[in-house]
Structure formats: structure tokens, C-alpha cells
């Protein structure tokens, strides 16, 4: 099979996401791609501060070993660990940094875990985990799970469990509420700012002496993940834009994302944050404009694009976040599920009714199946999958239709650059194929 441009772009990304150490300033370092997320170290007179810890203890140990070649443990004990937000890929390696010597203080914001808590309260963790495994492609074979767009594959692939059990997240014990706080540790003075964005609990770490800004997951080398396909109630887009403006105002010399390589140099940092903010603002403004014009999320998702001067930038490529999903998220953030089409207010016309009538229109179920197969042959996998959906509504256990839908999803997934959507599509295809063979 010829590889799609999306596959080639993700393979290029994978080649960039190899473990390496970057010196950010005289006293600040970053371990990039050792784990799925980056780990930062700032070296003070008599101790170090760690910013984020990666997801797994194995990767955290490898990073700490590299850090210790720069700052030996006897002279520079770990005084503090900072979590930029509550996602497990930033906290799971912390037991390694907490067990080296005296336990460091672990700092974060008082609303730590804000994104997961509503799922826990609602009893929705099974869904959260199931969809998380699909978007992560945890059960895909290695050749289908290229990378996740902003992170390498670092935990079990084919047949592996959702998470390996090797995580060692230590709960935070120092919190700040409100806008900001100053952390003094190891002879360092750092400012922690509330910068809600990818999560409501997000913070940025500012090392003013050397003008280094650690921004967690509010910016990385991809269009931002305004909506994860794993599912989330709300990512506050205007708050995210405000946080980007705040980051811009600091005039940093180094900008350190939670994933992918840092940006070094004052002009580069200013340009990157400006473009990033403008991209998010453009998608936001266009969505609001279209909503006021009475357009539906389907229409807006199909028509809104980044302006050309931003769409061509590698750090705004849709490797991880996706413009169309962002549009739907913004629509939902304000008006919820109703798209404005009154037909969707009725429940007496079911998908089964529609499927039966589609089959009748096509000249029967066999004719519909023929059409779906022809669509797939004619390189129109989206239409093939759509027709297969109608057929599966009528014949949910029919192995040949399950296979057809799986083939269509495989072909569609191959064209998807956004890694989470690609993983999700290919994982569902794999599940359908498995169901077909069990028939
Ligand atoms: Zn992350």
C-alpha cells in the first residue's frame, strides 16, 4: 500500500521524537521525548527543581540519570517537583523523583485534577478509560501506531494494557489558589502562574533570572488539542487565549512545552506564541461568526480553516489537535448539543428507520452492500463507511459488513494526520474485524 501524506508526516514526527537533552539557559535543562511528556530541571545553588515527571517510572529513572550527570545528587538534592497540570503523562514518573532522598515538596494548583474529577463524580471512568485507550491506540500493532503526534510511543503497544501499571504518581502536597505564587527552593525563585487552557488546572512556571517559561500543555508543536476525542465537557477557549497572551507578555528567551522540542530565542518565542494565539483566536472568531449566521457545527467544521500563513507552520500542523473538532467544541461550549436542525428534536425517527429506508432507496440491502463495496473500490472510504453504518444497523452481526466497515475505517484512518483520531479509527476497525472473526 502507498503511504498517505499523513502517514509520512507522522513518521517524520516519530523520527524527531527521540530522547534527547536540551540546555535551555545557563541553569535550566529539558529531557525531551525520553517519555511521552517532557521533564524539566532547574539547577539552584543548593538543590534542583523538577518540572513535570513524565508518565512512567522507567523513563523518569532514565531522565534522572541524565540530570545527575549535570547536577550530582550529593550537592543538588531535589527540593521541589512542580506539576503543570493533572494529566497522568506529567505526573506518573514522580515516585522516582520523590524517592531519591528527602521527599521534595510537590507543587501545583488547588484545582489539581480538574479535568478528571467530573468523570469520577459522574461514575464515567470506564468510558474515560475506554475512549482513552482507543485514542491512544493502545491495542494497535506497532506498525499502525506510528506516534501520537506530539509524543513517542513509550508504553505497551500490541495487546498491551491501557497503562502498564509502571506509573508512580505521588499526590501533590503544596497548592496555590488564585492567580500566582512564588516558590523558593534550592536557592531558586520561581513564579507559578494560573494559565487555564488545555486543562482548567494548568499552570506555567517562570524562571525570571534566565527568562525561561515552562508552559505545560498550553502550547506544543501542533495545533492545540481544543477537543480530545477521548471526550471532555469543556475546554475554555477564551481562557486559553488569555493564557497565551499572558505567556507572551513575559517576553521569555526560552519557551518550554510539555511535549516536543522547546523554542529558544526571544524573537522566535514571541513569533511562536503570537501565531499560536492568532490560530486559536481565528478558529474561535470564525465559529462564533458562523453560529450567529445560523450555521450548524457540521457546516462550520467543514468550512473553517486556518489562514494560509498559519496553516503552513509545522508547529500549527494538526498532529494532535484538530481544527474541525475545535470548531465543534466551541459550538458545544456555548449552546450544547442542539445543532439548530429541528429534525434533531425528534426521537420517533430512529437510525433503524433511516437504514431501512436507505436500503429501500438503493433497491434492497444487497444493492446497498454493492454500493458500499463500490465506494470503497473507488477510493471513497467515508461514503463506504456511511453506507456500512446503515447496513450494520440492519444486520449488526453480519461478518462481511463488519469487514467492509473495518476496511473503510482502515482506509480513512490512513488519511488522518491527527494521531488521536487516526488511532481511534484504526482501533475501532480492529475491533470490528475481531467481532467479524468471532461470528
Ligand atoms: Zn501532556
Amino acid at each position: 500500500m502507498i503511504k498517505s501524506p499523513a502517514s509520512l508526516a507522522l513518521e517524520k514526527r516519530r523520527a524527531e521524537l527521540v530522547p534527547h537533552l536540551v540546555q535551555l539557559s545557563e541553569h535550566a535543562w529539558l529531557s525531551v521525548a525520553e517519555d511521552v511528556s517532557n521533564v524539566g530541571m532547574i539547577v539552584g545553588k543548593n538543590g534542583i527543581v523538577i518540572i513535570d515527571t513524565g508518565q512512567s517510572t522507567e523513563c523518569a529513572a532514565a531522565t534522572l540519570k541524565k540530570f545527575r550527570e549535570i547536577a550530582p545528587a550529593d550537592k543538588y538534592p531535589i527540593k521541589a517537583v512542580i506539576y503543570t497540570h493533572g494529566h497522568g503523562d506529567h505526573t506518573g514518573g514522580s515516585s522516582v523523583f520523590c524517592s531519591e532522598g528527602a521527599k521534595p515538596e510537590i507543587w501545583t494548583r488547588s484545582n489539581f485534577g480538574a479535568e478528571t474529577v467530573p468523570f469520577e463524580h459522574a461514575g464515567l471512568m470506564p468510558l474515560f478509560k475506554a475512549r482513552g485507550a482507543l485514542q491512544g491506540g493502545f491495542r494497535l500493532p506497532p506498525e499502525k501506531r506510528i506516534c501520537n503526534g506530539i509524543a513517542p510511543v513509550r508504553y505497551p503497544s500490541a495487546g498491551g494494557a491501557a497503562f502498564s501499571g509502571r506509573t508512580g504518581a505521588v499526590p501533590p502536597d503544596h497548592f496555590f489558589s488564585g492567580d500566582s505564587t512564588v516558590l523558593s527552593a534550592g536557592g531558586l525563585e520561581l513564579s507559578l502562574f494560573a494559565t487555564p487552557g488545555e486543562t482548567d488546572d494548568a499552570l506555567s512556571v517562570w524562571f525570571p533570572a534566565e527568562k525561561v517559561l515552562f508552559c505545560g500543555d498550553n502550547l506544543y508543536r501542533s495545533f492545540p488539542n481544543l477537543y480530545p476525542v477521548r471526550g471532555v465537557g469543556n475546554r475554555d477557549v477564551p481562557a486559553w487565549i488569555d493564557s497565551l497572551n499572558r505567556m507572551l507578555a513575559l517576553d521569555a528567551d526560552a519557551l518550554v512545552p510539555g511535549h516536543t522540542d522547546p523554542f529558544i530565542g526571544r524573537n522566535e518565542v514571541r513569533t511562536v506564541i503570537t501565531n499560536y494565539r492568532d490560530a486559536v483566536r481565528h478558529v474561535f472568531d470564525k465559529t462564533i461568526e458562523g453560529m450567529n449566521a445560523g450555521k450548524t457545527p457540521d457546516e462550520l467544521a467543514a468550512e473553517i480553516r486556518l489562514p494560509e500563513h498559519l496553516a503552513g507552520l509545522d508547529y500549527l500542523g494538526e498532529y494532535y489537535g484538530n481544527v474541525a473538532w475545535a470548531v465543534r467544541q466551541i459550538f458545544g461550549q456555548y449552546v450544547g448539543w442542539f445543532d439548530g436542525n429541528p429534525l434533531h428534536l425528534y426521537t420517533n425517527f430512529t437510525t433503524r428507520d433511516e437504514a431501512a429506508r436507505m436500503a429501500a432507496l438503493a433497491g434492497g440491502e444487497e444493492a446497498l452492500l454493492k454500493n458500499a463495496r463500490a465506494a470503497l473500490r473507488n477510493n471513497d472510504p467515508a461514503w463506504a463507511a456511511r453506507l456500512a453504518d446503515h447496513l450494520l444497523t440492519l444486520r449488526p452481526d453480519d461478518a462481511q459488513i463488519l469487514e467492509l466497515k473495518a476496511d473503510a475505517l482502515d482506509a480513512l484512518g490512513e488519511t488522518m494526520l491527527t494521531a488521536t483520531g487516526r488511532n481511534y479509527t484504526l482501533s475501532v476497525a480492529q475491533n470490528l474485524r475481531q467481532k467479524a472473526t468471532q461470528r
Side-chain angles (χ1 to χ4, degrees), residues 47 56 61 108 173 415 419:
S56 80
T108 198
D173 47 21
T415 66

Side-chain angles (χ1 to χ4, degrees), residues 67-88:
F67 284 170
R68 282 312 183 201
E69 284 164 21
I70 297 159
D74 52 347
K75 198 167 163 212
Y76 301 101
I78 302 170
K79 295 288 192 183
V81 171
I82 303 166
Y83 293 152
T84 60
H85 61 295
H87 282 163

Side-chain angles (χ1 to χ4, degrees), residues 52 81-87 91 105-113 170-178 181 183 192-193 201-203 205:
D52 284 339
V81 171
I82 303 166
Y83 293 152
T84 60
H85 61 295
H87 282 163
T91 60
E105 297 175 351
I106 304 184
W107 279 85
T108 198
R109 285 179 60 203
S110 54
N111 62 344
F112 181 74
V170 179
D173 47 21
H174 286 68
F175 302 89
F176 75 97
S177 53
T181 194
L183 165 61
L192 312 185
F193 293 104
D201 65 0
L203 65 83
V205 181

Side-chain angles (χ1 to χ4, degrees), residues 36-38 51-52 83-91 115 148 150-151 195-199 201-205 213-226 230 235 240 243-244 247 255-260 276 280 320-321:
V36 293
S37 75
N38 294 338
I51 297 151
D52 284 339
Y83 293 152
T84 60
H85 61 295
H87 282 163
D89 56 324
H90 297 254
T91 60
E115 189 166 271
N148 98 338
I150 53 166
T195 44
E198 194 190 87
T199 55
D201 65 0
L203 65 83
S204 294
V205 181
L213 175 64
F214 296 80
C215 65
D217 282 1
N218 282 352
L219 188 156
Y220 33 59
R221 290 174 190 260
S222 165
F223 182 79
N225 201 14
L226 271 57
R230 174 248 293 152
R235 284 188 170 174
W240 201 326
S243 293
L244 290 166
M247 288 158 52
L255 174 66
V256 189
H259 304 262
T260 68
Y276 214 77
V280 178
Y320 192 60

Side-chain angles (χ1 to χ4, degrees), residues 365-366 369 390-398 400-401:
E365 288 177 21
E366 286 315 306
L369 180 56
H390 290 309
L391 287 161
L392 283 175
T393 303
L394 301 169
R395 288 148 59 176
D397 299 323
D398 187 320
Q400 58 177 339
I401 302 169

Side-chain angles (χ1 to χ4, degrees), residues 144 194 225 276 283 285 302 351 373 417 419 427:
K144 289 204 168 184
N225 201 14
Y276 214 77
V283 173
D285 289 349
T351 47
R373 287 200 168 119
L417 173 62
S427 296

Side-chain angles (χ1 to χ4, degrees), residues 107-147:
W107 279 85
T108 198
R109 285 179 60 203
S110 54
N111 62 344
F112 181 74
E115 189 166 271
T116 324
V117 167
F119 285 90
E120 284 167 359
H121 283 176
L124 269 172
M125 286 316 281
L127 177 87
F128 185 88
K129 286 181 182 162
R131 285 177 55 152
L134 292 172
Q135 79 160 32
F138 294 141
R139 289 180 176 79
L140 288 175
E143 68 275 13
K144 289 204 168 184
R145 189 180 167 204
I146 303 173
C147 67

Side-chain angles (χ1 to χ4, degrees), residues 256-280:
V256 189
H259 304 262
T260 68
D261 270 310
F263 300 90
I264 312 274
R266 189 170 166 219
N267 289 340
E268 167 87 341
V269 169
R270 191 185 300 152
T271 304
V272 167
I273 304 177
T274 302
N275 285 335
Y276 214 77
R277 177 206 59 196
D278 289 352
V280 178

